[in-house]
Amino acid sequence: MTRILNITILSVFLLAALIQTAQSEAPAFEIHFIDVGHGDAAVVVCEGEYMLIDGGDENCGKTVCDYLNKMNISRLDYLVYTHPHKDNVGGLTEVVERFPIGDVFGSVTAYDTIIFSSFMRALSQSGEEIIIPEAGYEFDIGSARATVLGPVKQSSDMNNMSLVMRVVYDETSFLLCADAMSGEENDILQTAGELSSDVIKISCQGSDEATSELFLAQVMPRYAVISTATRGDNVYGHPNDAMLTRLNQAGIEVYRTDLNGTVICSSDGKEITITAQKDEIQAHNGADTEEMYIINTNSDKFHRPDCRNVASIAEENRLEITASPRELIREGYSPCGNCAM
């Protein structure tokens, strides 16, 4: 119990340090993909202007607000809710109640759920008007330019009503796909101009119904970020193995909030640097030291050889490997809770 408590305290301390370091170095452009479990929440920062995109589910309002406070954000220039599902708008009611907001962008204003109705009521009470941008709409965040790529047309599937944006800062670019599925991806492929981007935020927590090979071939990203809960904490089994295989075969470096925690992409206009919360924590605990580990190929957990759980691994699921924890995590494995670093 003491070790778990120490790790938790270290996690909080290093997350604060991660934010503080990012602020002290003051890169001109950043996107913070906040770890909100199964859902999305991202903060775009450019030259003192701030845009929040989604806010996780109804349990994530405090998490998002606390993160904004740690970033010393007192006002949001833009608030974007990509579509009305609860894992995108659930946490935004508290954000609207606690922060002054400039422009609000969304794709729909009507959706019959208690959570979305609560969010709409909070916007109304704060006096905010909602802009429903069409594909091709552009606006500036500092010197960065955001272009709305979708939705291109109406759909009964709210995922395919996702507000998809491409943000360009100097020579670097970021494609934020919300929960757009194959239908909206195909619409965007047929109507959008430039799609190539250095970083892609993967659709719908890594569903196999999106991020097609054709779409990836047009975007050609170097990095992918997946915002999702651990597989044991989401009923969908995201991220999907087939989708991960597509990313791997395309040579794309993948970051996942379930494995890496909050992910920060920083740009100086030429190069992109990616910092991950859990990587920082692991760096303080020998994350780059190669050792022998036992992998359970059924659960995708890795164990130290003396872990008590090793004895229960079936022989056909047991794999011995010499690697560093960081390498194993990058390969999609996660540390066993009983022998976590």
Side-chain angles (χ1 to χ4, degrees):
M1 180 63 70
T2 301
R3 184 166 180 77
I4 294 174
L5 178 61
N6 288 340
I7 291 172
T8 302
I9 293 172
L10 181 61
S11 300
V12 173
F13 172 78
L14 286 170
L15 176 58
L18 183 63
I19 296 171
Q20 199 169 44
T21 299
Q23 289 174 335
S24 63
E25 294 176 356
F29 181 93
E30 293 179 335
I31 302 183
H32 296 232
F33 295 95
I34 305 172
D35 182 7
V36 291
H38 184 80
D40 285 328
V43 187
V44 181
V45 182
C46 187
E47 299 165 354
E49 294 191 7
Y50 304 96
M51 174 169 67
L52 175 65
I53 306 173
D54 290 333
D57 67 21
E58 64 272 27
N59 299 310
C60 295
K62 184 178 185 302
T63 298
V64 174
C65 289
D66 287 350
Y67 196 92
L68 295 175
N69 286 328
K70 288 175 182 176
M71 293 180 69
N72 294 321
I73 295 174
S74 58
R75 179 183 185 276
L76 292 168
D77 298 280
Y78 301 100
L79 175 66
V80 177
Y81 64 96
T82 60
H83 61 298
H85 286 164
K86 70 173 188 176
D87 55 343
N88 300 89
V89 303
L92 291 181
T93 297
E94 187 168 347
V95 172
V96 171
E97 292 171 347
R98 290 176 56 178
F99 289 85
I101 295 168
D103 291 332
V104 178
F105 295 107
S107 61
V108 300
T109 57
Y111 188 63
D112 190 18
T113 64
I114 293 173
I115 289 174
F116 187 69
S117 297
S118 175
F119 171 53
M120 287 289 104
R121 187 162 52 250
L123 285 176
S124 177
Q125 290 172 350
S126 68
E128 302 292 345
E129 295 186 2
I130 301 169
I131 300 169
I132 307 294
E134 295 182 352
Y137 183 93
E138 296 183 336
F139 61 98
D140 294 329
I141 313 162
S143 62
R145 172 59 61 93
T147 302
V148 175
L149 304 181
V152 176
K153 59 188 179 185
Q154 295 294 309
S155 173
S156 59
D157 182 345
M158 285 298 108
N159 282 333
N160 281 327
M161 287 298 293
S162 288
L163 204 157
V164 174
M165 292 186 298
R166 181 172 182 262
V167 181
V168 176
Y169 176 68
D170 200 356
E171 297 179 12
T172 57
S173 49
F174 306 79
L175 186 61
L176 309 173
C177 295
D179 282 358
M181 309 300 271
S182 59
E184 185 174 0
E185 283 185 354
N186 291 335
D187 291 340
I188 289 172
L189 286 172
Q190 293 174 20
T191 59
E194 183 66 54
L195 280 180
S196 63
S197 302
D198 298 295
V199 177
I200 184 173
K201 200 292 292 183
I202 296 297
S203 296
C204 199
Q205 291 80 52
S207 168
D208 188 37
E209 298 176 46
T211 320
S212 68
E213 291 181 1
L214 179 60
F215 194 71
L216 284 174
Q218 293 300 310
V219 179
M220 298 183 296
R222 289 187 291 158
Y223 307 103
V225 178
I226 305 173
S227 182
T228 188
T230 58
R231 291 193 182 185
D233 293 331
N234 74 78
V235 298
Y236 305 99
H238 292 158
N240 181 272
D241 287 336
M243 189 280 307
L244 291 173
T245 297
R246 289 196 292 274
L247 296 177
N248 182 57
Q249 290 177 341
I252 300 167
E253 188 171 337
V254 178
Y255 291 83
R256 297 165 44 175
T257 59
D258 60 328
L259 300 179
N260 303 112
T262 293
V263 176
I264 301 175
C265 301
S266 304
S267 171
D268 62 3
K270 309 295 182 184
E271 299 292 335
I272 291 171
T273 302
I274 299 183
T275 311
Q277 172 201 356
K278 289 182 182 177
D279 281 354
E280 292 295 301
I281 294 169
Q282 291 149 6
H284 285 72
N285 294 273
D288 288 318
T289 303
E290 290 193 352
E291 297 181 40
M292 199 271 278
Y293 291 94
I294 309 297
I295 291 176
N296 184 335
T297 58
N298 183 52
S299 66
D300 286 339
K301 298 285 186 182
F302 63 89
H303 309 256
R304 297 186 186 281
D306 59 353
C307 173
R308 65 176 181 269
N309 289 331
V310 168
S312 63
I313 301 175
E315 191 62 34
E316 63 269 21
N317 297 327
R318 180 187 173 112
L319 174 66
E320 294 185 4
I321 189 169
T322 299
S324 71
R326 191 189 304 276
E327 290 171 335
L328 292 173
I329 288 171
R330 290 281 171 81
E331 290 296 321
Y333 301 107
S334 56
C336 163
N338 289 325
C339 55
M341 299 160 291

